[in-house]
Every structure is written in structure tokens, then in C-alpha cells.
Amino acid sequence: MNDYLIQILTESLQQFDLDEQPEIRIEEPNLPEHGDAATNLALTLAKPLRNNPRTIAGQIVEKLQYDENKISAVEIAGPGFINFRFADDYLFEELAGILEQGTDFGKSDEFDGRQVLVEFVSANPTGPLTVGHGRNAVLGDTVSRLLEWTGAEVEREYYFNDAGRQMRVLGESVRARYNELLGKESDFPEDGYQGEYIRDIAQSLVDEQGEGLLDAEDEKPFKEKAEEAIFADISQTLERMGIKMDSFFNEHSLYEDGKIDETVAKLRELDLAYDKDGAVWFRTTKFGKDKDTVLVKSTGEPTYRLPDIAYHANKLDRGFDLCVDVFGADHIATYPDVLSGIKSLGYDPDKVDVVVYQFVTIVKDGQPFKMSTRKANFVTLDELMDEVGADVSRFFFLMRSPNTHLEFDIARAKEAGEKNPVFYLQYAHARICSVMRKVTEEYDFSGKADLSLLNHPSEITLIKTMNKFPKVIAHAAKSREPHHVITYLNELASDFTSFYHDCRILGEDKNIAHARLTLAEAVAQVLRNGLTILGISAPESM
RNA sequence: GCGCCCGUAGCUCAACUGGAUAGAGCAAUUGCCUUCUAAGCAAUAGGUUACAGGUUCGAGUCCUGUCGGGCGUACCA
């Protein structure tokens, strides 16, 4: 419809002597009196044409030729908006289209054929995933789903590093617990991981190896065991949330294939890297920073920035058209350096895009809950799902814009009723399924329903709301903001329940019942498609 | 100090990226179950969009400044 409006408006614009074609934007008015679609075209033309917007709007409308099967009215309103009203026939056609498209309704070709890598979670295996990782994981997965719905081919990747200091400390922590379990002296590392899971891992080592590791040369066997156990745990947690990674990328491989050294060498060639005080520095002052940044410490160990640059170069080498990174606001500082780095190396930084999300605050018993992985004072994702389930968890992580702090009120999420917004959507779906079951017992429909019988305001509103779905998905995908889908589904569910209360199906005349049932089926389809994108189930009964 | 993000109803948050009278949910008040799920519907109340300027036909949205909050600002990730 948008394309059609733009087309007829463009034709009408030919009456003017314009230097360049203005961009025509169609928007949806927030008041129903203002029609179904509107354009501010006349307002933007006021300046170049040096005329009053209302006069221009009049001239545009005067010459406008439109199909009355699609548009029933065109009005000029306010300062010079042109408002369009859709014809009912057009709406009925669209409604029939929704059912024809079925599980594909909402898909578009916005990102058609593009190869996209979405990197997310990327937590080092030092402990169970926490609620903070949860937001990351669900955002990454849902952004992936959105991109898939808009035509992209998506690979989900998990980036990790099992070679750094964190992992060494992890190994030492396990070793200390292991010794402890065997009644030996242990010096638990000062900044060690204190969680109970460390003891469990140590215990399994005792079970498997007995005292065999007491005189191990270093922490390596402990580290390896921990990594294995923790990764198994992480994968299981992700699976529970409906997340399946396509690839795991170990930072270590960048050292093995020489990419780290290569990156430094290239930066040196460009005079963007230099030695000072035994370290290698990245000339970030060239990119507008007030300080240069260390790439390789004097110990010879790179800082995280260097592998990050090499890793992104690697992603682009693999031929992806777009690389999306999902990370928390605390990592934002490295992002400009990575972009500067890959740009210097000759890659297109526009192909890298970042979803930054703000922190999650868990509210337990009305009190904010401070978390720290090392001190083992956290809420794990598994604990969260034990409490509220995967559907509710996903929904809560997605319902806010990534850019805003997320307050996760466990008590509220646990209420299976009114206060919990997830159920509102699922309930609407379950209700439709229930009606469908009952109606098909009572009636015997054959052929297609006569949709022109739908003329109640609630019915018309519902159809219009459904028609917005593909646009919402495309917008959410482009902006990488899944919360738009939730906002939309709430509106749809709300419009449906109004319809449900205003218009009965069971007990009505057969033809009306058939038309309304068809409408309800379409709503169920859209709800299902939307929930599928969010990774939330659509139960048939509750 | 500097950089990034944010400040919208009592609370948690939207607002199609500059459009018309700023919207939902929760909490509050009031109606509605012998009829397809009341996990619901309808209605009322709640606002100087932190503050002060500016840009223009038009600002919650853009620019400047002030105040308040979060996160960075490590040879930690």
C-alpha cells in the first residue's frame, strides 16, 4: 500500500517544476480521524515551492488519480497533511492474503540474500550464565530471528577465550577445592571463583581420578575439566532458552594461525602501532582519542583489543555482508577502537554493527539485587528459568528497548496472571484456538467466507492492525530492536480481545460466524508468527 | 576532568527516528460473568516530556548550557 501511495503521489508531483524529487514518506496517524495513512509531503514542499502548505496539498490532491477499490477517501487536514482512508475491499483482500501466506506472513526481503554473522553471549566459560548474559543471549537470538524473517542468512556465533588470566584463576580455584576435598592444604586464590559450582567440578574430578591429580604440575587439568563442565552447563542453559549456536569461535585460533601477529605487523606498517615502555601501542589518538591504547602488554600478552580487531577482520574475511555484535554497555569503550582497527586494515566498518544493551537489575522482594560472578552472588539464568520459565524470561528480556536499563521484577514475572504481560498474548492465542475448536463442532463451513460481512468497527480495526505486522518486523529488524514486536503484539492482542467481547462467533448466523472465524484464524496466525520471532510458545489452551 | 547512554503519569516503560490532541501496563476509583476462557472488557483519574535557551511551518525527538543518574575512562575482559 505504501508503494502504491508513493507511486500515485509521485505522478501528481509532476505538475510541479521541481529540481529534485522529494522523498515521500507515508506515516500512520495516531488518531483514527486522520485516516489510515498520511503524508507530510505538502509541508516539506512549502519551502522549495514558496507556497502555503495547504494550497500545495490542494494541488496535489486535485491531480491525484487513485483506485477507489483501494482508497475510499483523501482529505487535507491540519497544516497541510494529506490523509488517506483505505477502502474496505482492500482490507478484505489483505485479510485473505494473511491466511494464504500463513507462517510466512510478516516476512520481507529487506535483507534478502545477505549473509549476516550475529555474535552474542560470548561469555568466557568461568561460570554459569547469569541474568546479565540472559539479556545478551535473548537479544542476539531474537535479532537473528528478525534478520532471518527479513531475508538474511544468519550465522549465530559464540566467541570465547580459554587462554587468559580468568581461566587460569578458574583452574586454580578448582585445584584448591580439589585439594580441600581430599583433606589437603589448599591456598584458595585471592581473586578465585567462590561459587558452589567450583566445588561440584572438583568433586567430579575426585570421583573420576581419585587422588591422582594431587601432584599435578599445574592447574591445566583442573582448568580443562572446568571448561568442559561449564561449557556443557552453558549450552544446556542456552538450549533451554531456545538458543542454538551455529559456531563457537575460540580466540586462541587467532594466535595459532598467526592472525594476531599479522594484525600487529600491518598496523606497524601503517605507522598505527609502535613500541614504548616494552609494550606495543595503538595510535588511537589518530582517531580522535586523547590517549593511545596498549595492544600488547610488556609481558607479551595482548590486551583484548588486539584479538578483537583480528577477530572482526576474520569475520569479514569469511565474506559476511554484515556483522552484528551484541554486548553490554560496559564494553562500549572498545568498539571505536575495533572499528578504527579494521578500517585501517582496509575493511568497511559499516559492515559492523553493534547492539549495545544496558544492564539488568534484578528486583527480588521489591529490592534491587547486586550481582558479581566472582563472589558467587548472582542469579543464574537457570535459576531464573526455574522460577519463571523460558517464555517469561525471554519476554522480559525483550520487552524493553536495549538502550534502557531493564528492571526484571521476579515477583511480577512469577505471577501467572494479570500482572504478567506474557500471558496476555498467549491467552489471546489460546482463546482463539478454543473458539475454533467449538465453532467447528457447531458449524459446517464450506468454501470461502464472505469477508465483506465484516463491518463492525472492532473487526475493521483488527484487520488494519494485522496489516501493519510486516512493517513492524522490518522496522524491528533494521533497528535491531525486538521490543517493537512486543509493543505491536500487545496492541494486536488488545484489539482482538475487544473484538472478542464485541462480536460473537458462536450462535451467529452461519455466514457471519464463518467470516468472523476467518478473521480470528488470521489473528491467531499473526500472533503465532510474532511469538515465533520472539522465541515464545503459542499454546493452544491454557 | 573527559567520553558514551539516559532523564516522559505515583511505579515500569512506548512513541514509526522532526509531525496533528505524548500512549500502554501496573497501582487507584467505577461498572460488567445463566451466552465462544473474567488470565478478560468498558470507563474515570493521573503530564509544563528534569531545567533554561536555540534551530523552523512544527521539538519528547536536533543544537548549546545547567542539574541528576548509569557505564566507561587499566599494560582487567
Side-chain angles (χ1 to χ4, degrees), chain A residues 35-222:
Chain A
D36 301 311
T39 179
N40 61 350
L41 186 57
L43 281 80
T44 58
L45 285 176
K47 196 172 260 181
L49 290 175
R50 298 219 316 229
N51 204 340
N52 158 344
R54 280 198 74 107
T55 321
I56 297 170
Q59 290 166 337
I60 294 173
V61 172
E62 177 77 20
K63 290 266 157 92
L64 201 62
Q65 298 196 351
Y66 57 88
D67 181 350
E68 290 184 359
N69 290 320
K70 288 191 167 133
I71 293 164
S72 62
V74 181
E75 293 143 16
I76 298 166
F81 289 99
I82 301 172
N83 297 334
F84 300 91
R85 234 165 266 278
F86 299 160
D88 286 351
D89 283 349
Y90 162 76
L91 295 177
F92 302 143
E93 262 174 49
E94 293 289 301
L95 172 57
I98 292 170
L99 288 163
E100 271 167 39
Q101 293 173 63
T103 52
D104 285 337
F105 178 66
K107 291 190 176 167
S108 68
D109 53 5
E110 214 63 50
F111 291 90
D112 211 9
R114 299 235 270 159
Q115 306 283 320
V116 182
L117 182 80
V118 180
E119 181 217 324
F120 60 106
V121 189
S122 296
N124 283 341
T126 58
L129 294 181
T130 66
V131 166
H133 300 121
R135 190 173 195 187
N136 187 312
V138 176
L139 267 173
D141 183 57
T142 309
V143 165
S144 301
R145 290 172 192 239
L146 280 166
L147 290 168
E148 284 166 346
W149 270 69
T150 46
E153 214 166 284
V154 178
E155 183 166 334
R156 294 159 168 80
E157 186 157 283
Y158 186 127
Y159 174 76
F160 72 103
N161 176 23
D162 58 3
R165 204 189 67 92
Q166 280 183 30
M167 293 300 290
R168 214 162 45 235
V169 173
L170 176 73
E172 285 160 9
S173 306
V174 175
R175 177 177 210 160
R177 293 297 184 221
Y178 174 83
N179 288 346
E180 228 173 81
L181 285 169
L182 293 173
K184 304 289 176 192
E185 273 203 21
S186 76
D187 38 350
F188 195 81
E190 199 168 321
D191 51 356
Y193 293 87
Q194 297 173 21
E196 197 55 34
Y197 64 96
I198 299 291
R199 226 180 283 267
D200 296 342
I201 294 165
Q203 183 62 54
S204 65
L205 275 174
V206 172
D207 296 345
E208 287 165 24
Q209 315 242 9
E211 302 195 345
L213 291 171
L214 273 179
D215 46 3
E217 273 179 34
D218 53 26
E219 80 289 344
K220 202 174 162 217
F222 301 97

Side-chain angles (χ1 to χ4, degrees), chain A residues 463-477:
Chain A
I463 300 173
K464 286 178 180 172
T465 302
M466 282 192 279
N467 285 343
K468 289 194 258 177
F469 185 63
K471 240 172 105 177
V472 171
I473 301 309
H475 179 237

